[in-house]
Amino acid sequence: MSEVLIITTPAELRARSRAWRRDGMSVALVPTMGALHAGHMSLIADAASRCDRVIVSIFVNPLQFDRDADFTAYPRPIDDDVAACRAAGVHAVYAPTAATMYPDGHDTLVNPGAIATRWEGEYRPGHFTGMATVVTKLLNTAEADIAVFGAKDAQQVAIVTQLVADLDIGTEIVVGATVREPDGLAMSSRNRHLTDDQRRAATSIDEALRYIADEVAHGADIDHAVATGREIITAADDTRIDYLAVVDPRTFEPSDTTPARVIAAVWVGDTRLIDNREIGTE
Ligand code: PAF
């Protein structure tokens, strides 16, 4: 099994990436907050199929958590994560501390625009500013050819795509497909917080998304399809919907034309899950 370099400072990461590129190799970055699961491993495989060198960043970014309890409870199995990266042939893991990322005196935030005001932006104040700030720092430091993000965080992908264009960042954004459990539940680091009953209830999210996507793709009335989707989710125990909506896949404004995305954020017990499905071809 190949060794994986552990890098902890921006200067070291930039130097390593530059050295690889100077040697004619292409470089991919897979930004993560760790607690790696099959969804992440699929992004890593995607990165490895496109570039000579793969960097996985693992950083639980305090700036993007709107609830202290969520930040504290976020799983941090760093040894398992490094082992998974090693087994997957990752070349470098970038795992800075919070003090390295945000030293005393750090005073600049990246404030994304209109896309970030809706849905997740509304329910999680400050989340997208924290996410955009850390992603900008990671992209600036890694200077990678591509960065791979998961489609499960569709609004994040739209914001990062806009950010890279607006700030003239030279990294191509690649979107990896959502990986699902056999019963449809999207893989997420937060799934491990679910009890067995909640885990069963959580399958209602994908059931509703698939129902809505299918109905709307076949010309059904969007409001009616979404209302039925809400019933599917709320019929499951211990669920509460933050939002369930059909949106334009680029602007995230509500949409009544295809292509579109149906997006959801649902509490199952104390765990908040997000997911989405494509409607028509984007
Ligand atoms: O999607 C995530 O895991 C995070 O939002 C990211 C992109 C790693 C930034 O912290």
Side-chain angles (χ1 to χ4, degrees):
M1 209 179 284
S2 59
E3 234 351 279
V4 56
L5 270 171
I6 307 294
I7 297 177
T8 56
T9 66
E12 216 186 327
L13 180 63
R14 182 172 286 122
R16 179 74 337 256
S17 174
R18 284 186 182 175
W20 280 332
R21 286 167 56 105
R22 223 175 14 249
D23 287 347
M25 288 185 273
S26 56
V27 176
L29 171 70
V30 183
T32 82
M33 297 205 299
L36 303 181
H37 51 64
H40 294 113
M41 300 327 283
S42 140
L43 303 182
I44 291 170
D46 207 343
S49 73
R50 293 164 188 264
C51 287
D52 302 309
R53 289 290 176 266
V54 176
I55 302 164
V56 172
S57 65
I58 298 179
F59 179 61
V60 184
N61 175 30
L63 229 53
Q64 71 185 73
F65 284 80
D66 53 311
R67 292 178 306 121
D68 286 348
D70 191 26
F71 178 64
T72 310
Y74 203 86
R76 294 167 171 82
I78 185 69
D79 293 344
D80 292 350
D81 286 347
V82 170
C85 286
R86 185 181 295 117
V90 167
H91 301 90
V93 167
Y94 178 46
T97 62
T100 301
M101 282 304 248
Y102 305 116
D104 283 349
H106 183 278
D107 194 27
T108 301
L109 298 175
V110 176
N111 201 10
I115 308 170
T117 59
R118 308 186 180 98
W119 316 114
E120 286 302 279
E122 196 181 328
Y123 281 90
R124 302 184 64 193
H127 166 65
F128 281 136
T129 296
M131 182 281 292
T133 301
V134 84
V135 167
T136 303
K137 285 165 75 76
L138 291 169
L139 294 176
N140 270 341
T141 313
E143 297 181 347
D145 297 276
I146 68 166
V148 187
F149 290 80
K152 186 176 85 67
D153 297 302
Q155 197 176 359
Q156 169 171 281
V157 168
I159 291 167
V160 170
T161 303
Q162 177 86 40
L163 176 160
V164 162
D166 289 351
L167 300 184
D168 302 319
I169 295 175
T171 300
E172 181 194 345
I173 302 305
V174 172
V175 185
T178 302
V179 178
R180 297 179 183 279
E181 303 281 2
D183 60 11
L185 179 66
M187 299 255 179
S188 162
S189 305
R190 291 186 171 88
N191 290 353
R192 62 179 79 188
H193 298 316
L194 300 171
T195 64
D196 289 350
D197 285 347
Q198 290 168 347
R199 171 68 188 72
R200 272 189 291 279
T203 60
S204 64
I205 303 171
D206 185 50
E207 200 188 320
L209 292 176
R210 275 187 294 113
Y211 173 82
I212 296 168
D214 198 47
E215 287 290 298
V216 174
H218 288 94
D221 175 68
I222 290 181
D223 290 343
H224 188 262
V226 170
T228 308
R230 294 186 78 88
E231 283 168 17
I232 293 172
I233 294 172
T234 50
D237 285 343
D238 218 3
T239 53
R240 182 164 55 82
I241 298 171
D242 271 356
Y243 58 78
L244 179 65
V246 174
V247 300
D248 179 291
R250 206 176 43 79
T251 63
F252 274 72
E253 285 183 38
S255 170
D256 53 12
T257 55
T258 54
R261 252 180 204 267
V262 52
I263 57 170
V266 177
W267 289 90
V268 185
D270 291 335
T271 303
R272 187 174 183 277
L273 302 174
I274 62 169
D275 197 359
N276 68 87
R277 284 268 182 186
E278 191 178 332
I279 307 175
T281 308
E282 287 170 15

